[in-house]
Amino acid sequence: MLYGRRGSEGKTGPLEYGGKAIPEEGCLGQSILDFRKDYEHPQAVETARHISSQSYQDSMARPEIQTAFQKWSTCMKEKGYTYASPMDPPSVGKFQEGPVTVEERATAQADVACKTRTDLLNSWFAVESEIQQAMIAGDAKVLQELRELHRKKVAAARTILTEG
């Protein structure tokens, strides 16, 4: 039987089962945390995050991407929409809540059509990939360590799943 005690603020106190304390994260949560410990590499994770965010920012400043955005914006204007950037439509307040409206669907269709017509996504992908490849080369050692830890983690998870 599972027991919990209510504190004075309505929070559940320590839980027990059969006289043993249940971890705060629950047994499954604690197992996941314990499993992860052997495969953590905070420096490598931060390096990967930095590459992802910095390459995005750097790509946005590149003249060829600015030109691609202008072409996309012109295409959108031809379809009756005034947006400077492809990041603008999803951030429109009225598109953030509630069910998808006819207007939102029409805007999304125009967005996709303009991205296709201007080849925006392929161009942007190529530029950001180029930036990332240069950044990856500079941090290859730590990223290789992360890759190896991920391989080991997947192998360990497969062992757990197949052997129980």
Side-chain angles (χ1 to χ4, degrees), residues 111-127:
D111 175 37
V112 170
C114 289
K115 284 175 178 167
T116 301
R117 185 167 117 192
T118 62
D119 201 30
L120 175 65
L121 299 181
N122 289 326
S123 302
W124 198 357
F125 177 80
V127 168

Side-chain angles (χ1 to χ4, degrees), residues 28 35 153-164:
L28 177 61
F35 177 77
K153 186 177 184 180
V154 168
R158 282 190 178 130
T159 299
I160 290 168
L161 291 173
T162 57
E163 296 176 8

Side-chain angles (χ1 to χ4, degrees), residues 92-106:
V92 171
K94 63 185 172 186
F95 296 158
Q96 297 292 316
E97 297 177 10
V100 176
T101 64
V102 171
E103 179 185 6
E104 185 176 3
R105 188 169 282 124

Side-chain angles (χ1 to χ4, degrees), residues 5 10-11 14 19 30 33-34 39 46 50 54 56-57 67 73 78 86 91 102 116-118 123 131-132 150:
R5 288 183 245 127
K11 295 181 181 176
Q30 186 63 51
L33 290 173
D34 290 345
Y39 307 102
E46 183 52 39
H50 173 74
Q54 191 63 51
Y56 170 78
Q57 291 174 18
T67 299
S73 182
E78 291 169 3
S91 65
V102 171
T116 301
R117 185 167 117 192
T118 62
S123 302
I131 293 167
Q132 287 177 351
H150 280 215

Side-chain angles (χ1 to χ4, degrees), residues 3-155:
Y3 298 97
R5 288 183 245 127
R6 291 259 174 220
S8 62
E9 298 173 9
K11 295 181 181 176
T12 301
L15 296 176
E16 295 180 358
Y17 179 77
K20 292 184 177 181
I22 295 175
E24 190 174 316
E25 302 79 13
C27 296
L28 177 61
Q30 186 63 51
S31 296
I32 292 168
L33 290 173
D34 290 345
F35 177 77
R36 287 180 179 171
K37 285 180 187 174
D38 293 337
Y39 307 102
E40 291 178 351
H41 194 323
Q43 177 193 3
V45 169
E46 183 52 39
T47 298
R49 271 193 199 114
H50 173 74
I51 289 170
S52 177
S53 63
Q54 191 63 51
S55 64
Y56 170 78
Q57 291 174 18
D58 291 354
S59 73
M60 297 283 282
R62 293 276 289 266
E64 59 267 46
I65 299 306
Q66 292 299 313
T67 299
F69 280 10
Q70 289 169 355
K71 288 179 183 176
W72 174 89
S73 182
T74 299
C75 177
M76 289 293 283
K77 186 168 239 116
E78 291 169 3
K79 295 181 179 298
Y81 302 95
T82 306
Y83 295 109
S85 158
M87 276 68 70
D88 292 346
S91 65
V92 171
K94 63 185 172 186
F95 296 158
Q96 297 292 316
E97 297 177 10
V100 176
T101 64
V102 171
E103 179 185 6
E104 185 176 3
R105 188 169 282 124
T107 304
Q109 290 170 337
D111 175 37
V112 170
C114 289
K115 284 175 178 167
T116 301
R117 185 167 117 192
T118 62
D119 201 30
L120 175 65
L121 299 181
N122 289 326
S123 302
W124 198 357
F125 177 80
V127 168
E128 193 165 350
S129 294
E130 176 188 312
I131 293 167
Q132 287 177 351
Q133 290 302 317
M135 295 174 83
I136 288 167
D139 288 309
K141 184 175 185 255
V142 72
L143 293 171
Q144 184 58 38
E145 292 168 4
L146 183 61
R147 174 187 281 169
E148 192 55 35
L149 282 173
H150 280 215
R151 284 187 183 146
K152 288 178 181 178
K153 186 177 184 180
V154 168

